[in-house]
Amino acid sequence: MSTGGSRRGGVDTIEARLTRTSAATLSSTAGATTRTVAPVTRGRALVRAVVWATDASRAAGRGITAAAAWSARTVRPAGVLIAAAASAGLILGLAFGWVEWMVAGVIALVLLVMAVPFLFGARAYDVDLTLAHERVVAGQGVVGEIVVRNHGSRLALPGRIDIPVGSGLVEFGVPLLLPGHTIAQPLDIPDLRRGIVRVGPATTVRSDPIGLLRREHAFDDVHALYVHPRTTTVPSTSAGLIRDLEGSPTRRLVDADMSFHAIREYAPGDSRRQIHWKSTAKTGQLMVRQYEESRRSRMAIVLAIAQAEYADADEFELAVSCAASLGLRAVRDDRDLDIVAGSEVPRVIRGRLRAIQRIPAPAPRPMLDGFSGIGLIENTMPIEDVCRLAAEANERLSIAFVVVGSAVSLTRLRQAALAFPSDTAVVAVICDERAHPRMQPVAGLTVLTVGTLDDLSGLLLRGATS
């Protein structure tokens, strides 16, 4: 019995050990599982918190930026002063018990609150802006009409409409408008200078009577008004200055053309179709016909636009008018025409870059539109380099007009004329409002000095009849 009891006690001891071992193992396993899962849960929560904080900060930043932009557009300097007075008065009044400061703060706050309703209705209008003409001549004005309609279902409070005209501003007062009502007011823009004038967009402006807050809404209607230079009628009889009009022979001799010149001996390479058999029979040697080249008249107008080449802006306007007048005559005579001017050259590469700009001349309107957009440039090539590029681009010019200001000397004009081929007639037009009109030949070119635009026509007529 003792032996069996000892065996049973051993078994019980072993089972107890196994039980403790398995319990410890389960406990340790469960603990390990708990320690493994808990950090993952806390990490995910931390990541969610960081992402939420990031999104919240971005949304807050966008809101603050939008609020700052709205405040900058809406709150006027007087409104900023009143807002500062309201904040300071309420804070100091409540902190130190100063009744006067508290009253001032409340009054300032009430003023701001009362100004808010005046901002409503900035988009309640339909605005239609029309101009009688899209193109006018310098010195003339243009008329138009602005139509304002209340397209909303509520009453529109009085307001104002601003219309930018170039660098200026035209203001219109809009009265109280009932729903669906329309008013029309005339627009008068007088005495325009040459250029491309931007008219619009019309902008509705809502503001309180004190000027604390302001709200604007711009429409999309924008007009480009082309103000053409003044021009004069240049006579077609200026052919006295142009030696080779369309279809007329030149001094260049060719083997085949329309105008017969002479008969010469046959040379290797001549076409057999040009052999003159009667002369060949008389002389006993092959003789061929020789012709004078006939070509279409090609004309170039080179306009100086360097600021240093003119005495003032009025002198430059005279030069533009002269160039435009010559261009109109050439277009109406159906000549091939190139209008060339200098182009902007950056100061850092000035002298190493050559660039010109061309004014299109397929018809009078686009040509005058191009002259409307041209202006003086400080950093550009001198007129000599512009003429050189114009001559390189057009090898067969019949005549070239070089229009410059009074600051260009005759020496520089002679250098500019040398850039053209020897068979090209070069006419220099010097615009000087203080000089008397005259014409003078100078070293292979003709120099016209004009004081007014009307002098150009008279001098060209004199050159044609002399």
Side-chain angles (χ1 to χ4, degrees), residues 68-356:
W70 181 87
S71 300
R73 295 192 306 266
T74 305
V75 182
R76 312 307 298 166
V80 174
L81 182 62
I82 292 298
S87 302
L90 293 176
I91 292 174
L92 294 177
L94 293 175
F96 298 100
W98 295 342
V99 179
E100 295 83 357
W101 285 78
M102 191 178 303
V103 171
V106 170
I107 294 175
L109 182 61
V110 170
L111 288 176
L112 282 176
V113 173
M114 293 177 62
V116 172
F118 289 93
L119 302 182
F120 299 151
R123 300 175 182 267
Y125 295 146
D126 276 337
V127 179
D128 185 19
L129 174 63
T130 58
L131 297 177
H133 303 284
E134 295 289 339
R135 290 168 175 84
V136 295
V137 180
Q140 297 180 355
V142 65
V143 295
E145 186 181 46
I146 179 169
V147 179
V148 183
R149 178 178 178 271
N150 180 10
H151 64 80
S153 58
R154 299 178 181 178
L155 190 70
L157 297 176
R160 190 177 82 245
I161 292 181
D162 294 342
I163 301 178
V165 179
S167 58
L169 188 68
V170 178
E171 298 181 355
F172 290 97
V174 180
L176 186 72
L177 283 181
L178 298 175
H181 280 214
T182 302
I183 63 167
Q185 296 188 17
L187 174 65
D188 186 13
I189 307 174
D191 301 335
L192 291 168
R193 293 181 62 87
R194 182 190 59 83
I196 302 176
V197 181
R198 178 186 173 95
V199 181
T203 304
T204 58
V205 180
R206 305 306 301 268
S207 178
D208 60 280
I210 306 178
L212 303 181
L213 305 178
R214 174 173 173 162
R215 190 178 182 185
E216 299 180 354
H217 174 66
F219 295 87
D220 298 331
D221 195 8
V222 180
H223 297 264
L225 179 61
Y226 289 89
V227 184
H228 292 167
R230 295 176 56 247
T231 57
T232 187
T233 302
V234 177
S236 297
T237 52
S238 59
L241 295 174
I242 304 176
R243 296 193 297 265
D244 49 347
L245 295 179
E246 180 178 359
S248 298
T250 65
R251 297 179 181 178
R252 184 177 179 181
L253 301 180
V254 293
D255 294 334
D257 211 305
M258 298 174 58
S259 179
F260 177 77
H261 174 64
I263 296 176
R264 62 172 176 82
E265 293 183 2
Y266 176 85
D270 290 339
S271 175
R272 294 184 179 182
R273 292 179 299 178
Q274 303 301 331
I275 296 177
H276 193 263
W277 294 107
K278 292 184 178 180
S279 300
T280 300
K282 291 180 180 180
T283 60
Q285 296 180 349
L286 288 177
M287 306 295 290
V288 295
R289 301 180 184 88
Q290 196 172 30
Y291 298 86
E292 290 180 337
E293 182 187 23
S294 300
R295 66 183 180 185
R296 181 180 176 88
S297 176
R298 190 169 189 86
M299 177 176 169
I301 299 176
V302 183
L303 175 63
I305 62 173
Q307 191 171 358
E309 295 173 343
Y310 292 92
D312 50 33
D314 293 336
E315 192 172 276
F316 176 68
E317 294 301 321
L318 175 59
V320 174
S321 296
C322 291
S325 301
L326 294 170
L328 275 179
R329 182 72 270 168
V331 171
R332 289 168 180 167
D333 289 345
D334 196 23
R335 291 184 189 161
D336 291 336
L337 175 64
D338 290 323
I339 304 176
V340 180
S343 183
E344 181 77 26
V345 178
R347 187 184 298 271
V348 293
I349 58 175
R350 186 175 181 181
R352 301 192 299 271
L353 176 67
R354 300 190 305 168
I356 57 176

